[in-house]
Structure formats: C-alpha cells, structure tokens
Amino acid sequence: MATPATKLLLIDRVPNNYIWPQADRPNLTEVEASDASTIPLIDLQGLFGPNRDDIIRQIGKACQQDGFFQIKNHGIQEEMVQAIMNIAGEFFRLPESERLKNYSDDRSESTRLWTSFNIKTEKVSYWREFLRLLCYPLEEYMHEWPTNPPSFRKEVGEYCTRVRELALKLLEAISESLGLEREYISENLGKHGQRMAMNYYPPCPQPELTYGLLCHTDPNLITILLQDDVPGLQVLRNGKWIAVNPIPNTFIVNMGDQMQVISNDKYKSILHRAVVNSDRERISIPTFYCPSPEALIGPAQGLIDHEHPAVYRSFTYKEYYHTFWNKGLMTECCLDMFKIPSA
C-alpha cells in the first residue's frame, strides 16, 4: 500500500478524488499578501522584564482583533528549530516501507501517519501527509513514536518540552491580558494536553484545484506553528484570505476554540487553511496545546456580568473534541453548537 505522499509525487495531474467543486476551490488569485503591517509580530524579549505590561497589551490587542500573531525572541534556540525541521524532512524522505510502520486510519492511535481529517465525513481528499503525535506527558507517549530517523525521539522530545514551556508563558500573558489572574487559564485545563503534527505537503501540479487542508478553526486552546520557508498558511481576515509569509525563527500563535470560550467571545478562534504550490514541498509543525479530556471548560467567571452574559455553556473538552471531529470541516462552526440560546 502506498502512502498518500508517495502516490502524489508520481503524478502530473490532480486525481479526481482531490479536486474540489468549483465553488469551494481556494481562488488563489484573490489571496492578499501579508506584510509587517498586516500580521502582528510581537517581540517576547522583555516578557519577564520591564516591558511586560506593554507586551501583554500587544498580545491582548492581537488576540482580540486578529485571533493570531507572530512571535520572535521566544526563547527556543534557532539550532533546535532547525533540528526539528530536519528531522521532519528526514522522516518524510524515508522509504515508503519504513513510513508505513506508522500508517493508520484509526484516530484513537496516539501516533499515526495519515492524510485525511476524518475519512468518514470527507468527500474530497487533502493534498498532504501528516504524522500525529501525543506528547504530554512525554513519558506516556514517547515510546510509541517512530524510531527512524534514529534521533527522532530525542530531538522531538526536547522540542516538545521547550514548546510546552513557551505555551505556558503565553497562557500566563493571555490570562493577564484578559484581566484574569496570571495562572487562571492554566489552572482550568485539568491535567493539560499537548499534541503535535508534522505536515508534509508535496508539490501539486494543479494547486488551484485542491487544498492541503480546508478552512477550519482549531478545537484546542492555542496553536504554536513552526513552518519552513515555503508559504502555504492563509488566514481569514475581514472576509479576505491573507497569505502568512514565513519569517525565519518565528512562530505563529493562533487562538483555538477553547480560548474563545474561556474569554467569553472577547478573543476569536481564527479561521485558517493550508494551500499548496506546484514548485516546492512544504513542511509545517503545529503544536496544539489543549485541556485534558476531563477538564470542564466554560467562560471565565471574571468575564461575565450583566452586560456580558455567558455566551457558552460549560462542557468537557472530551465532549467538544468528539463533536468537532465528527462534524467535519465543511459543516457549521462547532462553537455554535455550544452556545447558550438567546433569551
């Protein structure tokens, strides 16, 4: 059995099962390019120094107006960033027989190679292959990760640890930006959870016909995205798609659905998608920081008052994720299904 990436590299036309209906295609000619003024870039250098209040204000503004921002001086060394990108590249260049050891269409597997979001709800396939990993607590999952390339577990484990430290710092800042106690968000996530994906998007002979991944919001709390130098991420802003061009040694941080709930709609979970190109492969590595399954999620009490009633009912993250997974990406927004009906 061939993995999706292997099959996609061997063709010069997009197969029918990857071609989206005319009305649903990405319309790449209508996408706007980003620049320094359109995508917030926040310098975290002074987050634990005299500039903390100003940085927190920047983060709050970006979360409220955009739902995402870029960060630099984030504390993760460039050498580690390059090492994790190299490992991902090495993995997807392994012989097909080696990669297939991780191949599964069972979403309950904690480590799996796959291509689809949910094959049961999708009528059209995505132009990608991805390796999904559960990575917190590390000791519970690392033994299930690939052993090839040989340094995979060591390099990825160190990266996951550092990204988790970064996520916790960002959650403190976001919590403060909402006017909550610094530890509020972190203390309301149960035991916490962390997932990671390594996405591989092969060159596509007809990129205007298909997607790497369709428009969606992330069901988790925040996503910290590392991408290579090939554009592909696009975000929806004011009804227009904006291409997020990569900046070396930066991360993209976007709010997920749980953050929109906790903030009682003050911060927005951003719609985004992945497109492909005809010339170059692309690799991206998102880290999804989330509550643990049993965590009870709802609007923060400190953000609810007479003028700002609770927008959402409380629910467990397990309930939310199950609903998100089963509805498919092209149906109604999952958040709408958890709103409290208007009086």
Side-chain angles (χ1 to χ4, degrees):
M1 180 177 63
T3 60
T6 301
K7 292 185 290 185
L8 297 182
L9 285 169
L10 300 176
I11 60 177
D12 56 10
R13 294 186 63 83
V14 173
N16 288 337
N17 61 311
Y18 291 90
I19 298 177
W20 287 82
Q22 184 74 41
D24 298 326
R25 293 175 189 172
N27 294 322
L28 299 176
T29 58
E30 299 179 3
V31 175
E32 296 185 1
S34 64
D35 57 34
S37 65
T38 57
I39 308 295
L41 176 59
I42 299 175
D43 188 344
L44 298 185
Q45 183 71 51
L47 184 57
F48 292 95
N51 296 330
R52 183 175 180 83
D53 289 346
D54 180 59
I55 294 172
I56 287 175
R57 280 192 294 269
Q58 292 179 52
I59 289 174
K61 181 179 178 181
C63 292
Q64 188 166 11
Q65 295 184 355
D66 303 291
F68 72 103
F69 51 91
Q70 299 174 96
I71 54 173
K72 64 179 182 179
N73 292 322
H74 39 67
I76 298 180
Q77 296 299 314
E78 188 172 356
E79 293 78 11
M80 178 172 284
V81 168
Q82 191 57 56
I84 193 72
M85 294 301 296
N86 290 343
I87 281 290
E90 289 177 33
F91 176 82
F92 288 110
R93 285 191 294 270
L94 287 172
E96 177 186 41
S97 59
E98 186 66 27
R99 297 203 314 281
L100 277 173
K101 293 177 181 179
N102 304 283
Y103 195 75
S104 173
D105 59 4
D106 181 1
R107 74 179 183 92
S108 67
E109 294 285 344
S110 64
T111 299
R112 70 183 185 118
L113 182 72
W114 186 231
T115 179
S116 180
F117 174 76
N118 186 346
I119 195 171
K120 295 180 180 179
T121 63
E122 292 166 3
K123 298 179 180 179
V124 185
S125 299
Y126 295 116
W127 199 269
R128 71 159 181 168
E129 182 173 297
F130 72 91
L131 179 68
R132 189 194 76 163
L133 306 171
L134 294 185
C135 36
Y136 182 77
L138 269 179
E139 60 272 15
E140 291 186 15
Y141 300 111
M142 187 184 289
H143 68 281
E144 299 175 353
W145 294 356
T147 55
N148 197 1
S151 62
F152 186 97
R153 291 182 178 179
K154 176 180 181 296
E155 300 283 3
V156 176
E158 291 175 355
Y159 176 79
C160 289
T161 298
R162 293 305 305 276
V163 173
R164 181 173 185 269
E165 293 170 358
L166 174 60
L168 293 175
K169 292 175 183 177
L170 287 170
L171 291 181
E172 288 182 353
I174 293 169
S175 192
E176 286 188 54
S177 74
L178 286 165
L180 303 171
E181 293 294 325
R182 180 181 295 190
E183 301 293 335
Y184 178 86
I185 294 177
S186 182
E187 290 177 350
N188 283 273
L189 303 179
K191 298 177 181 178
H192 293 218
Q194 183 179 344
R195 303 170 184 261
M196 190 178 83
M198 291 181 170
N199 295 314
Y200 175 73
Y201 304 97
C204 176
Q206 297 169 293
E208 70 279 2
L209 300 181
T210 191
Y211 288 95
L213 192 59
L214 194 66
C215 168
H216 65 286
T217 61
D218 289 344
N220 48 287
L221 186 67
I222 61 170
T223 300
I224 300 175
L225 175 71
L226 173 64
Q227 52 182 344
D228 63 13
D229 62 345
V230 180
L233 173 66
Q234 298 179 352
V235 298
L236 189 65
R237 176 195 269 176
N238 300 323
K240 296 182 179 180
W241 285 104
I242 310 293
V244 183
N245 293 323
I247 299 175
N249 204 33
T250 65
F251 289 92
I252 302 288
V253 180
N254 69 268
M255 301 300 101
D257 293 350
Q258 308 311 302
M259 188 65 76
Q260 183 163 332
V261 171
I262 290 172
S263 71
N264 203 33
D265 263 359
K266 185 174 181 180
Y267 293 170
K268 302 300 182 183
S269 181
I270 186 72
L271 282 165
H272 55 286
R273 66 185 187 182
V275 298
V276 292
N277 72 88
S278 59
D279 301 318
R280 300 176 62 189
E281 66 182 16
R282 175 175 178 260
I283 291 176
S284 70
I285 304 177
T287 293
F288 307 102
Y289 207 79
C290 51
S292 54
E294 78 286 350
L296 189 65
I297 305 299
Q301 288 299 312
L303 302 177
I304 299 172
D305 56 32
H306 180 71
E307 295 182 357
H308 304 92
V311 178
Y312 303 95
R313 67 173 177 86
S314 296
F315 51 83
T316 64
Y317 184 58
K318 180 179 181 180
E319 178 189 1
Y320 189 91
Y321 194 76
H322 179 79
T323 303
F324 177 88
W325 184 269
N326 287 306
K327 76 175 184 61
L329 294 185
M330 288 200 70
T331 57
E332 64 180 308
C333 176
C334 192
L335 278 170
D336 292 340
M337 302 171 72
F338 290 83
K339 285 185 174 180
I340 297 173
S342 301

